[in-house]
Amino acid sequence: MGKLYVVGIGPGGLQHMTVRARQVIEESEVIVGYTKYIDFIAPLIENKEVFSTGMMKEEERCREALRLSKDKIVSIISTGDAGIYGMAGLVLELIENEQVEIVPGVTASSAAASILGAPIMHDSCNISLSDLMTPYELIKKRVEAAAQADFVITLYNPKSKGRPHYLKENIETIKKYRNGNTPVAVVKNALREGQEYEIFTLDSFDDSNVDMLSVVLIGNSQSFVKNGVFITPRGYKL
Ligand code: SAH
């Protein structure tokens, strides 16, 4: 009898994986994942069978993982949390009666927040700017609604070569509802090799270093920067 684990491996650095994620990777005979993400856990899987594909082959990867898991123990991996723009949804949509366990992980917004200070201390939302599977009109509508409702916003997939203007356009939308001195942070490669971050305001925001390895965090109307640390107050009366 096989089994399929859908594993969030965290932001990339091995010390930020959960104990359960490490356990199931160790237990697995086969690891399935996007080539770059497999590299993050390379030291843990030296003697294992690996099935990796490039970007955009998610369905192929899922089907292969499900097929292999009929008689082997298989982990299909996502970075961050497998249930946040990861593989968990697709696996569950395709599954028939296979045994599956979803193993959660530290998502990019939490990883980035820990580097910046405490920017997500209040109500927040994640929005992906990728329009590969979501119409851009809907993305813009969600950004506007989130800005209007004063959510702290984390933008995933913030900027790619195919859609270089989306990020700037959406920052302009957010500006309609928030003060120009609201903190905006870019965190690249959070908690893995190559980590970098910059803190701007909505007025001074510069997207030149933003890419698909980054998230962008926008504070709410109460957020501020103190000694270089990005804080969104929880509301304690100090
Ligand atoms: N399942 C992942 C998200 C996958 S979508 C998670 O929960 O984190 C891919 C996007 O996530 C990237 O384009 C980037 O915006 C963000 N991302 C993932 N890991 C990151 C990291 N370590 N640092 C910064 N951004 C990251």
Side-chain angles (χ1 to χ4, degrees):
M1 259 296 270
K3 178 162 184 181
L4 182 60
Y5 294 106
V6 187
V7 187
I9 62 165
L14 288 181
Q15 68 276 42
H16 296 289
M17 263 173 96
T18 67
V19 173
R20 183 65 184 150
R22 275 189 97 113
Q23 267 174 0
V24 304
I25 297 280
E26 263 159 41
E27 191 195 317
S28 294
E29 300 165 86
V30 189
I31 310 294
V32 178
Y34 171 45
T35 318
K36 278 201 177 152
Y37 300 165
I38 293 275
D39 290 346
F40 288 137
I41 57 163
L44 305 181
I45 58 172
E46 273 161 8
N47 303 316
K48 299 188 190 288
E49 190 183 327
V50 171
F51 178 80
S52 59
T53 65
M55 214 57 164
M56 323 272 291
K57 299 267 180 156
E58 287 88 354
E59 188 180 334
E60 183 187 331
R61 247 179 278 146
C62 274
R63 289 192 187 281
E64 184 64 6
L66 281 166
R67 192 183 67 75
L68 291 164
S69 71
K70 291 203 189 311
D71 47 26
K72 286 183 174 165
I73 300 177
V74 180
S75 279
I76 181 164
I77 62 163
S78 291
T79 57
D81 188 298
I84 301 179
Y85 313 118
M87 300 301 280
L90 184 54
V91 168
L92 295 179
E93 282 184 73
L94 290 172
I95 184 179
E96 277 159 23
N97 50 14
E98 296 86 344
Q99 275 235 15
V100 175
E101 178 182 324
I102 316 277
V103 181
V106 176
T107 191
S109 63
S110 301
S114 73
I115 294 157
L116 297 167
I120 320 185
M121 279 298 293
H122 217 291
D123 302 336
S124 67
C125 66
N126 298 330
I127 301 177
S128 166
L129 292 191
S130 168
D131 63 353
L132 286 178
M133 285 179 286
T134 307
Y136 187 44
E137 286 309 311
L138 179 58
I139 296 172
K140 286 198 289 191
K141 187 172 154 187
R142 287 184 177 156
V143 170
E144 180 140 17
Q148 196 166 19
D150 204 26
F151 283 109
V152 174
I153 303 170
T154 304
L155 298 175
Y156 282 66
N157 302 300
K159 192 174 152 199
S160 73
K161 291 199 179 76
R163 46 182 172 81
H165 307 302
Y166 285 14
L167 178 57
K168 273 192 183 151
E169 254 170 46
N170 284 283
I171 292 289
E172 287 305 312
T173 303
I174 295 169
K175 264 186 174 170
K176 292 200 291 185
Y177 301 93
R178 287 190 204 170
N179 209 305
N181 60 15
T182 304
V184 179
V186 175
V187 183
K188 185 167 177 170
N189 290 314
L191 303 182
R192 66 183 180 219
E193 213 181 301
Q195 175 178 302
E196 287 172 35
Y197 74 94
E198 283 174 285
I199 302 179
F200 304 93
T201 63
L202 276 174
D203 280 342
S204 71
F205 183 63
D206 173 2
D207 75 343
S208 26
N209 288 327
V210 181
D211 59 14
M212 289 296 273
L213 303 174
S214 323
V215 278
V216 178
L217 275 95
I218 301 112
N220 71 12
S221 58
Q222 307 304 305
S223 303
F224 61 93
V225 175
K226 178 184 166 189
N227 301 329
V229 173
F230 183 164
I231 304 170
T232 298
R234 176 80 177 81
Y236 295 105
K237 304 278 172 277
L238 302 175

